[in-house]
Amino acid sequence: MDKQKVLFICHNHPAVRPGGAEGYAFELFEAMGASEEFSPIFLARTGPPISTAASPRPRTPLGTLDGAQDQYLLYTDIRQFDHFHATLRDKTVYTRHLRDFLLAHRPDVVHFQHTYLLGVDAITEVRNTLPNVPIVYTLHEFLPICHRSGQMVRTGTNELCSQESPRRCHECFPSITPERFFMRKRFIQSHLSHVDVFLAPSKLLLERYVDWGIPRERIRFEDYGRRPVRRVPEAGVRSRNRFGFFGQLSFFKGADVLLKAMAILAEEDSDAHLWVHGANLELQPVDFQEQFIALAEGAQTHVTLAGRYDQVRMPALMSQVDWVVVPSVWWENSPLVIQEAFLHGRPVICSDIGGMAEKVADGVSGLHFRSGDPRSLAHAIRTAVETPHLWEELHRGIPPIYDMEEHVTSLALTYDALVTRRRDGHASDASARSGEEGHVARTTV
Amino acid sequence: MLPRGPEKRDMSHAPPSSSGARGQPVAVSPEDSSGGAVRAVCSQGATDAIERAGWLSQDIVLIVVRLEVAGQSQAEVSVRTNGGHAPVHARWKGLAADPAMGGARTLVTARLPTPYREQPPHELAVTLLTGSHRIPVGRSSAVDVFSDMGTLVRAGLANLASDGRAEVMRFLVDAASAHGGTSDEEGLSRSLWQLREALRERHPHCAASLDEPMALRVDSFVAVNRSSFYVRGWMHGDRPITALTAVSPEGARVALLDGLHRTNRRDLQVGDNETEQRLGFERLFTVDPPSDLGAEWLLEVENEGGETVEADAPPAVSDPIDARDTLVARLGWERELNADLMNHMTPAIEGVQRRLEDMVEVDVLAQFGSPPGTPETSVLVPLLDSVEPLEHQMAQFACDPEIFGADLVYVLGEAELSERLMESATQLANLYRLPFRVAVARPSAGLAATCNGGASLARGQRLVMLGPDVLPDQAGWLGKLTSFHASMPGIGALGTKLLFEDDSLQHAGVTFRRGLVSAGLEKEHRFTGLHRDFAGADVACPVPAVTGACLMIDAELYRGMGGLSSAYLGTEYADSDLCLRLGEAGYENWYVPVALYHLEGRSSALPAPPVARYDAWLLSSRWDERIQDPLSRPPVRPGGDPNPAEALELRP
């Protein structure tokens, strides 16, 4: 039996620059490649700002990743990308380059992991060029919904936002009228309307997108599948007072909240110590950088800035901490770091909102604290240090993590169902525009 | 054929030799002759009375004749060219004897069938026709009598007394209209101008100052077209002013005082005294013959003592867009528009708009994709100032199979954006694979010319005018409109439910009422601002008018009504005007609750206040009388209207 050709389209290849969503997407691609059922292809967008080195060759924006047969890089010009509408102004990227690629490879399934920096028009191009091929789209954050970097955190106050509307978005961006936000939504939704199934790694994300307008029957909960990890054994029993942070040193990740909490604990001369494995401080706004450095210096007795970390060293790094702290001030989706912590048997202390609260059960597999509140976080950390046997209890409460093999199987079933539906339910027509229900007739997604 | 007087008098007894040597005028008085048949007599060697001839234009000749004949009438001029003899239509006018000229003169003008460049004349023969007589004047070889106009004037006419010169000017100014035009209007204008300058009474040029006993200044001068001009300025006289005259470069004189619109000039008059003499004046006037030159207009003002001063008018603003902008800017200075002023401004602006409209041509730039074979409906989208809306509309249209079967046409009103439009359209056509056409109006045109041009290109039986800022709510809207339209015989315009971005109603039909703010007619959108599901807006019903943002109409009907009126400057009122015309012609305008979004937006370019106010005035002035009493036709409510069509309930 022929292997099913799955084309993954992503905004970046982790070999170019490491990152969460693209890292997961690539692991999925590798897992599928290892199975007998699939022959996957990975098409990643490249170019500044993610890759500072990439520049297009004159003849084509397409190239392989270091000679791989099944991994490609597609260069797009960042200056052509309209961030507001999530589209490239130069449509030939879709109508010539992507089209040629699709016709050359003729995948059986196209699975979007991201359209950031590539543009939503890519979906329409896939639908028009391969009318009978199912299109799957994994959602990682709220970029289609929210113009503030897909975070759904309001500007100015940094309050969490749970409801999008033209008026509310205009309030966050007074220079952009409500009409323009309405048009943005309609535009993005008209392209997303060609997707057969959306996959949401958290119930939070799923409900948000249903509220936004994706029909419930077209979106499914499907968490990130993870490969099993090699646990590094611990050296002896000790008090559980070591805390670890893994991630970007950014405002949205709550890096400053964390340091403020450590400062409070330093005042009390707590036994807690924090290792900050983080990167990209230099990409943050200047005042945030200055604040962070000042806070780190102020709490230097209790905080170690360990710098950038390599995914390969994760098992060792995880064994060197007892708890993992995820203090994000935005909703989060299904934080990969939580899955990793759990894979390594580390209970998680996290903000009490969004995807974090969904994945970590307070008092079962970890502890919640009030999002954005350093005192509350300090209290949680103090509790973690001072409560006897708490760590063991929470350690036992850690749920099994969704396995990559299961994930691949689940996706296989999804793909097959879609292929069947497309084959049986719809006349094979060169044009997808001939009234195929649910995909074309409605302009809302 | 010229009518001949009865052949009564035998001129054969008039002694040719008594015409005397060359240079001596011959006095011929019809009373002197005895009865008998009249024949043209001309003997070789006889002294001719043709003194001089010159070309007023390529085909109109001016002949000065040494003859004293009172009155004016038609003449017979015969011209011999290579092509042979041809009598031509001619006229003459006798001038009073003037010692400065050494006797009386008679002027003759004639229009030749072909311009002299094509058929240079060899010989001229002139016969004057009075009511009953034919007076042969003479025959001369062209070489002997033709000279340039300057010489002719200096030698023949410039020494006349002031009255005589004015008479001459009047006679010549009328030449074109008397002869049914000329093939060389520019040449005629220039000659007349030359003559005017040589012959006119030059008055003192006044200093434009209130300290002078009489002052005159022209501030603004606009050419509405070749025959209509708008002038604005101020004048002042210690003694009452009895005449204000405009003198065209060609010498035509137009009396302006009657019907002159007077205004205060706060920039000139110190003090608040409202009863003071109003210094400012303006008016629209017509001139015959039409004037092409534009520059060298004069204005003369005369007081009761007969004193006259003159002032130059600035060169006329003749570019139609500049002309319109000048007129609209002037309106902007008024706090309120009044009928007296608008009696001048409205026809002036209408005239310019007509000129603009005549200049516009709409051409198809490209057809993308394969057009539908016999489209039932044409969807016309006018793009007046931006190409951006294309992408947003097409992203929605591409999800709607009905649009693929329609004749979609984007018509660009701003010709400078053609290149950008073609670039964008090409890219989008490739991406969405939607068939459509792109057309452009040249030179740039307003809403009416753009829509009407689009309509002339439309292939469908029905038209839908669709604003560029209108997006469908759901696919299938076009089919719903079409079936409703098809089910209503006698339907005029069909309008739809239009929504703001927050799902409130932007439009559910247009009604009119006498204003609360201004005295005239005002238009309103029914139920605007209420929620989209408001019951009153969920029922199809006849309405006085609908908005052009989404308007379906039979294509032939639209063209037959002349489309949108170009008299309106902006985009807000021409659609109401069309609907009212449809209503007057016996058609019924309908509203149907099929929903689309109209994102007219806080940021979209709204017409400048002078434009909006002018359009509102225009609508009101055209329709206030013709709508009997808008208040007696209240907005239609479901179940409340005594005269409903069946209120159809359509799900939006």
Side-chain angles (χ1 to χ4, degrees), chain B residues 300-312:
Chain B
E300 297 172 358
V301 62
E302 183 180 332
N303 66 16
E304 70 180 2
E307 297 163 317
T308 307
V309 294
E310 68 179 41
D312 293 326

Side-chain angles (χ1 to χ4, degrees), chain B residues 219-567:
Chain B
D219 291 312
S220 174
F221 192 56
V222 174
V224 170
N225 52 45
R226 295 173 66 228
S227 307
S228 298
F229 292 82
Y230 163 87
V231 65
R232 191 177 59 81
W234 61 267
M235 61 186 180
H236 149 77
D238 286 346
R239 298 174 68 181
I241 287 171
T242 50
L244 178 68
T245 311
V247 185
S248 79
E250 295 85 357
R253 300 178 64 84
V254 183
L256 300 181
L257 206 54
D258 256 346
L260 196 65
H261 178 70
R262 307 301 299 265
T263 60
N264 282 322
R265 287 294 295 257
R266 294 212 169 71
D267 54 327
L268 300 168
Q269 287 169 286
V270 178
D272 300 323
N273 194 345
E274 285 290 333
T275 61
E276 254 188 63
Q277 174 197 29
R278 303 181 119 199
L279 291 184
F281 68 81
E282 64 198 295
R283 122 169 238 170
L284 177 69
F285 67 89
T286 52
V287 68
D288 183 36
S291 172
D292 286 311
L293 292 179
E296 309 291 342
W297 277 81
L298 299 166
L299 254 68
E300 297 172 358
V301 62
E302 183 180 332
N303 66 16
E304 70 180 2
E307 297 163 317
T308 307
V309 294
E310 68 179 41
D312 293 326
V317 176
S318 64
D319 172 80
I321 293 180
D322 290 342
R324 181 189 59 205
D325 290 347
T326 304
L327 295 168
V328 171
R330 184 262 171 273
L331 279 182
W333 303 332
E334 293 296 304
R335 207 176 300 160
E336 253 182 54
L337 301 181
N338 66 77
D340 200 45
L341 172 65
M342 297 313 280
N343 278 338
H344 298 277
M345 300 303 286
T346 302
I349 294 176
E350 281 179 341
V352 175
Q353 287 292 92
R354 259 197 299 278
R355 192 149 61 104
L356 275 169
E357 184 179 33
D358 287 341
M359 287 165 61
V360 171
E361 269 178 30
V362 176
D363 297 307
V364 176
L365 283 183
Q367 160 83 58
F368 294 102
S370 343
T374 42
E376 234 193 295
T377 311
S378 291
V379 177
L380 303 176
V381 184
L383 299 169
L384 296 184
D385 52 27
S386 167
V387 165
E388 234 196 284
L390 209 67
E391 184 166 11
H392 284 278
Q393 280 193 336
M394 293 195 61
Q396 311 291 307
F397 288 166
C399 298
D400 188 341
E402 286 177 352
I403 309 294
F404 284 79
D407 169 32
L408 176 62
V409 186
Y410 283 93
V411 191
L412 181 64
E414 179 68 61
E416 279 181 21
L417 295 176
S418 304
E419 231 181 86
R420 201 180 315 171
L421 177 61
M422 276 304 291
E423 265 178 50
S424 185
T426 308
Q427 297 247 32
L428 296 172
N430 261 315
L431 177 64
Y432 292 113
R433 314 198 200 184
L434 180 63
F436 66 101
R437 281 185 291 167
V438 157
V440 67
R442 288 194 179 96
S444 297
L447 180 70
T450 304
C451 287
N452 296 346
S456 70
L457 301 171
R459 297 168 49 219
Q461 252 180 282
R462 287 185 189 84
L463 303 180
V464 173
M465 284 201 304
L466 194 71
D469 47 3
V470 173
L471 294 178
D473 178 22
Q474 288 188 20
W477 60 277
L478 189 60
K480 291 192 181 115
L481 283 191
T482 306
S483 48
F484 186 88
H485 187 273
S487 74
M488 306 293 288
I491 187 172
L494 177 64
T496 67
K497 178 188 284 194
L498 296 176
L499 308 171
F500 288 118
E501 87 288 348
D502 61 355
D503 276 341
S504 60
L505 290 165
Q506 192 262 346
H507 165 274
V510 170
T511 56
F512 303 94
R513 63 174 177 179
R514 295 233 157 69
L516 304 172
V517 174
S518 69
L521 216 54
E522 283 178 7
K523 67 168 207 172
E524 292 186 317
H525 285 189
R526 297 166 70 215
F527 308 127
T528 191
L530 300 175
H531 187 267
R532 66 182 283 174
D533 292 338
F534 182 74
D538 245 359
V539 182
C541 58
V543 284
V546 297
T547 179
C550 185
L551 189 156
M552 174 175 270
I553 184 173
D554 183 81
E556 279 311 308
L557 177 58
Y558 181 87
R559 291 183 205 117
M561 298 293 296
L564 293 176
S565 164
S566 69

Side-chain angles (χ1 to χ4, degrees), chain A residues 168-337:
Chain A
R168 286 173 64 82
C169 294
H170 166 64
E171 282 170 1
C172 278
F173 295 92
S175 65
I176 306 177
T177 65
E179 289 81 11
R180 291 204 73 87
F181 276 109
F182 178 86
M183 287 164 66
R184 170 189 185 274
K185 178 175 178 175
R186 286 268 151 173
F187 177 78
I188 292 174
Q189 286 184 341
S190 69
H191 290 285
L192 292 181
S193 74
H194 300 297
V195 171
D196 291 284
V197 157
F198 292 89
L199 301 177
S202 69
K203 306 254 169 49
L204 165 81
L205 214 71
L206 190 148
E207 292 302 325
R208 275 301 155 75
Y209 275 96
V210 169
D211 283 345
W212 185 64
I214 295 190
R216 193 174 283 277
E217 63 272 15
R218 248 206 272 172
I219 183 170
R220 267 188 43 210
F221 169 73
E222 177 77 33
D223 208 343
Y224 298 121
R226 307 305 301 276
R227 282 201 286 237
V229 298
R230 170 184 65 85
R231 285 197 190 184
V232 169
E234 297 179 301
V237 177
R238 55 182 187 274
S239 61
R240 300 293 184 177
N241 63 345
R242 301 170 308 165
F243 296 81
F245 170 91
F246 299 86
Q248 297 222 52
L249 301 177
S250 75
F251 164 79
F252 288 115
K253 292 295 185 183
D256 56 322
V257 174
L258 185 51
L259 290 181
K260 285 178 188 158
M262 294 313 295
I264 293 170
L265 293 163
E267 285 281 298
E268 301 166 359
D269 205 23
S270 160
D271 285 337
H273 195 94
L274 173 71
W275 279 264
V276 176
H277 299 281
N280 293 337
L281 180 64
E282 67 282 3
L283 298 181
Q284 309 308 319
V286 172
D287 45 340
F288 182 84
Q289 291 184 45
E290 288 173 356
Q291 181 198 35
F292 184 87
I293 290 167
L295 287 169
E297 279 176 10
Q300 59 187 286
T301 48
H302 287 67
V303 174
T304 302
L305 296 181
R308 207 173 282 273
Y309 67 95
D310 203 335
Q311 193 64 22
V312 167
R313 293 184 56 230
M314 248 328 198
L317 297 176
M318 280 286 175
S319 75
Q320 287 159 18
V321 299
D322 305 300
W323 309 81
V324 172
V325 186
V326 186
S328 299
V329 296
W330 81 285
W331 301 97
E332 290 285 355
N333 169 25
S334 175
L336 293 163
V337 70

Side-chain angles (χ1 to χ4, degrees), chain B residues 90-287:
Chain B
R91 63 204 252 276
W92 61 267
K93 179 182 170 62
L95 304 177
D98 189 319
M101 299 236 298
R105 293 290 186 282
T106 295
L107 299 181
V108 178
T109 64
R111 182 178 176 192
L112 308 188
T114 47
Y116 69 76
R117 288 241 164 80
E118 289 171 34
Q119 285 202 338
H122 297 289
E123 193 181 80
L124 271 181
V126 179
T127 303
L128 305 186
L129 306 173
T130 69
S132 46
H133 306 296
R134 298 172 51 100
I135 308 172
V137 170
R139 168 174 298 187
S140 291
S141 98
V143 172
D144 291 338
V145 297
F146 270 91
S147 64
D148 67 277
M149 194 55 66
T151 309
L152 184 151
V153 168
R154 280 192 296 276
L157 305 172
N159 295 324
L160 288 170
S162 156
D163 285 346
R165 281 182 277 125
E167 258 191 279
V168 168
M169 204 60 228
R170 270 195 295 278
F171 178 68
L172 295 177
V173 158
D174 290 335
S177 57
H179 293 306
T182 171
S183 64
D184 174 23
E185 287 174 344
E186 205 195 312
L188 179 63
S189 282
R190 284 194 203 290
S191 301
L192 288 175
W193 177 64
Q194 211 175 355
L195 284 159
R196 184 194 86 168
E197 289 300 286
L199 297 178
R200 75 183 178 92
E201 187 70 22
R202 285 167 194 271
H203 299 292
H205 226 84
C206 64
S209 156
L210 291 173
D211 296 331
E212 297 290 317
M214 197 154 62
L216 168 67
R217 186 180 149 84
V218 181
D219 291 312
S220 174
F221 192 56
V222 174
V224 170
N225 52 45
R226 295 173 66 228
S227 307
S228 298
F229 292 82
Y230 163 87
V231 65
R232 191 177 59 81
W234 61 267
M235 61 186 180
H236 149 77
D238 286 346
R239 298 174 68 181
I241 287 171
T242 50
L244 178 68
T245 311
V247 185
S248 79
E250 295 85 357
R253 300 178 64 84
V254 183
L256 300 181
L257 206 54
D258 256 346
L260 196 65
H261 178 70
R262 307 301 299 265
T263 60
N264 282 322
R265 287 294 295 257
R266 294 212 169 71
D267 54 327
L268 300 168
Q269 287 169 286
V270 178
D272 300 323
N273 194 345
E274 285 290 333
T275 61
E276 254 188 63
Q277 174 197 29
R278 303 181 119 199
L279 291 184
F281 68 81
E282 64 198 295
R283 122 169 238 170
L284 177 69
F285 67 89
T286 52
V287 68

